[in-house]
Amino acid sequence: MTTKTDSALVIDGVTAGYGGGDVLHEVSFTVPSGAITCIVGPNGAGKSTLLAVISGILRPRAGQVLHGGERLTGKSPRDVLRAGVVQVPQNHSLFPEMTVGENIDLGGYLLGSRSEVARRRATVEELFPDIRSWAKKKAGSLSGGQQRLVEFGRCLMLDPAVVVLDEPSMGLAPKILRTVFDAVREMNARGKTILLVEQNARAGLSIAGHGVVLENGRVRLTGTGTEVLEHPEIGALYLGGSATQAQSGSALSPAMPPGTAPTGTVPPGPVA
C-alpha cells in the first residue's frame, strides 16, 4: 500500500467543477514518489479539471491535494510552482517568435538569478542535447514533437519534484511518440515524479508504474500500469474493444479513499 509518507501527491476526496456544477466527485488516489503515474479515461471524465485543481488554477469545493505532506489546495499557481509541482499543458505553449533558448530561460523566471538560470539551462541541455542545437532557432519553426521536448526542458528549469504532463502525445505523428515517451522516461530516471494524463492509453500505461482510470468524474480503477492495461474492462472500453465486451465483465467499482482497493478492483501496485 502506498502511504502519504511515500507519495509525491495525495488527492484526497476532491470535488470540483465550474459554475456550480461538479465535474469531479470525491476523487481520491495517490501518486507514488519517484514513479510514473498515468491517468486515463474517456473525454469528459474530468482529467483536465483534476489537473487544474492540482496546479492551483481551480479551487475544489471539497477535498484537498497534498504534496510531501504540504497542502497545495488554496495556494496560487505561482506558489504551487514554488512548491515543486510544474505542469506542461496539453496545447503547445512556447512563444513562437522567440528563440528556443529564450523560451527555455523563461522557464526559470522565478529563480531571480542569471547565474542560476544559466546553470539550470546547462542541466537541461545535458539531458536533452537537441535543445542546445536548436537554441537560436525560433520556437515556431520546430515540429510538434520538437516543441514538446522544448516544453519539457522549460518545465525542468525550476527543478520540480513533480512534473505534470497533460496529453503530451496530442497531435503528434505516431513515429514521434517514441521520442516523446523516451523523454518522459528519461525525466523519471533523473528522479522526477511524473503524473501523466494521456489519450493514448496503451502507450501511457505501458511506461507507467501506476495507473488510474477516471470515468464520469470518479476514480473507477487503480493498480499498476500493467494491471490497468491488462484489465479486461479497460481493454474493452479504452483500447479498441466494444461496450458489449465491457458489459460482460464485472462492473467497475466506485472511488475509494487513497491507498484502499475496493472489492472488484486490482490493488494499487508498488512504487515503481
Side-chain angles (χ1 to χ4, degrees):
M1 179 185 298
T2 302
T3 65
K4 292 184 179 181
T5 57
D6 56 15
S7 299
L9 292 173
V10 175
I11 316 301
D12 183 13
V14 168
T15 296
Y18 309 91
D22 291 334
V23 176
L24 302 176
H25 308 277
E26 298 182 357
V27 170
S28 295
F29 64 92
T30 59
V31 177
S33 182
I36 299 175
T37 295
C38 182
I39 302 174
V40 299
N43 290 336
K47 303 184 297 294
S48 294
T49 300
L50 177 60
L51 296 194
V53 170
I54 292 171
S55 297
I57 297 170
L58 177 66
R59 184 167 297 191
R61 186 170 63 79
Q64 63 180 344
V65 178
L66 303 174
H67 167 53
E70 178 184 359
R71 182 180 166 94
L72 293 183
T73 304
K75 291 183 180 293
S76 68
R78 178 185 290 260
D79 287 338
V80 172
L81 289 176
R82 291 188 186 278
V85 179
V86 174
Q87 180 175 337
V88 177
Q90 178 183 130
N91 296 323
H92 287 302
S93 57
L94 300 180
F95 292 94
E97 295 303 314
M98 297 175 65
T99 67
V100 167
E102 289 169 339
N103 272 278
I104 292 292
D105 287 348
L106 280 176
Y109 79 103
L110 291 178
L111 297 176
S113 164
R114 289 186 179 181
S115 62
E116 184 62 14
V117 168
R119 188 185 71 80
R120 295 280 180 89
R121 179 171 165 180
T123 299
V124 167
E125 291 175 342
E126 187 269 330
L127 178 61
F128 299 134
D130 285 338
I131 289 178
R132 181 184 294 111
S133 65
W134 301 332
K136 294 184 178 180
K137 292 184 177 182
K138 286 190 175 182
S141 72
L142 302 182
S143 69
Q146 290 170 336
Q147 288 188 44
R148 190 64 80 202
L149 292 182
V150 175
E151 289 168 338
F152 289 175
R154 184 178 62 183
C155 89
L156 294 177
M157 288 291 287
L158 291 178
D159 194 22
V162 180
V163 175
V164 181
L165 303 176
D166 188 2
E167 307 273 16
S169 73
M170 179 69 75
L172 300 183
K175 66 181 181 180
I176 305 299
L177 294 184
R178 176 174 294 183
T179 299
V180 170
F181 283 109
D182 282 348
V184 174
R185 287 193 188 96
E186 187 61 30
M187 288 190 291
N188 178 242
R190 298 294 183 100
K192 305 303 180 187
T193 297
I194 307 293
L195 177 59
L196 168 68
V197 167
E198 183 48 56
Q199 60 162 350
N200 188 329
R202 190 181 303 278
L205 290 169
S206 68
I207 68 169
H210 187 66
V212 178
V213 179
L214 271 185
E215 189 174 71
N216 295 324
R218 301 181 187 274
V219 175
R220 293 304 188 188
L221 188 69
T222 64
T224 68
T226 300
E227 287 169 339
V228 174
L229 184 61
E230 294 179 352
H231 192 282
E233 200 160 352
I234 301 308
L237 288 173
Y238 306 125
L239 302 176
S242 67
T244 301
Q245 289 175 307
Q247 291 168 359
S248 68
S250 60
L252 288 171
S253 298
M256 296 290 287
T260 63
T263 302
T265 67
V266 292
V271 176

